[in-house]
Amino acid sequence: MSSYIKRVNNDSDALHILHKELCHKGIKPQYTLQCREIQGHKFFAVPVEIAWEIHNASQRGLTISERSRFAMSTESGKLEVVSVVEDEGQDFTAKGICYDRSEVCKQSTAGLVVFKIIRSPGPGETQGKLV
């Protein structure tokens, strides 16, 4: 059994309906945030790879004004989760350029999470960079 509470925060259909209803009420759902590691979070936290898949599934069929960006708030600033690469041989595309996973992360045998800096306490030129 998973450690997180089922059907509370891991249902793409519920998230889809939430986005539609928020927009219907005049609220633009700008971000869906990944759960931070705080006291008592473990039962509510969904791993980032699974949460990314749930968010992507929830966004299908939504209009542009109903969609949100999947992001994480970190000590380094707000990061958008752009892609999750699970296969060692799988390629991923960012900004129209295809990267071979082995060239991007030669040290890792596990998956790869690609982030884009949305906002950081550092210099402004870091905004939009992939990490």
Side-chain angles (χ1 to χ4, degrees), residues 105-122:
C105 192
K106 291 181 180 184
Q107 305 301 320
S108 176
T109 56
L112 177 67
V113 179
V114 181
F115 300 100
K116 181 169 85 173
I117 299 172
I118 299 172
R119 186 175 61 225
S120 74

Side-chain angles (χ1 to χ4, degrees), residues 15-127:
L15 189 57
H16 181 90
I17 292 167
L18 175 65
H19 278 71
K20 285 187 112 20
E21 288 298 316
L22 285 171
C23 194
H24 180 73
K25 303 281 186 199
I27 302 166
K28 165 72 171 108
Q30 188 171 5
Y31 298 107
T32 299
L33 292 172
Q34 171 68 14
C35 185
R36 283 190 80 167
E37 291 189 16
I38 58 173
Q39 186 175 2
H41 84 284
K42 291 191 186 284
F43 290 108
F44 296 97
V46 176
V48 66
E49 299 85 355
I50 295 171
W52 184 77
E53 289 175 11
I54 292 167
H55 182 264
N56 278 350
S58 76
Q59 301 300 289
R60 292 184 189 113
L62 294 177
T63 66
I64 192 73
S65 61
E66 294 171 335
R67 292 185 198 144
S68 68
R69 293 162 44 169
F70 182 58
M72 297 176 70
S73 176
T74 70
E75 292 175 5
S76 301
K78 190 180 290 180
L79 306 176
E80 179 179 1
V81 180
V82 176
S83 182
V84 174
V85 183
E86 295 179 26
D87 250 348
E88 193 166 327
Q90 181 181 355
D91 292 342
F92 67 95
T93 302
K95 295 188 178 183
I97 302 169
C98 187
Y99 296 91
D100 179 2
R101 183 206 176 278
S102 61
E103 291 299 317
V104 174
C105 192
K106 291 181 180 184
Q107 305 301 320
S108 176
T109 56
L112 177 67
V113 179
V114 181
F115 300 100
K116 181 169 85 173
I117 299 172
I118 299 172
R119 186 175 61 225
S120 74
E125 61 266 5
T126 61
Q127 187 172 350

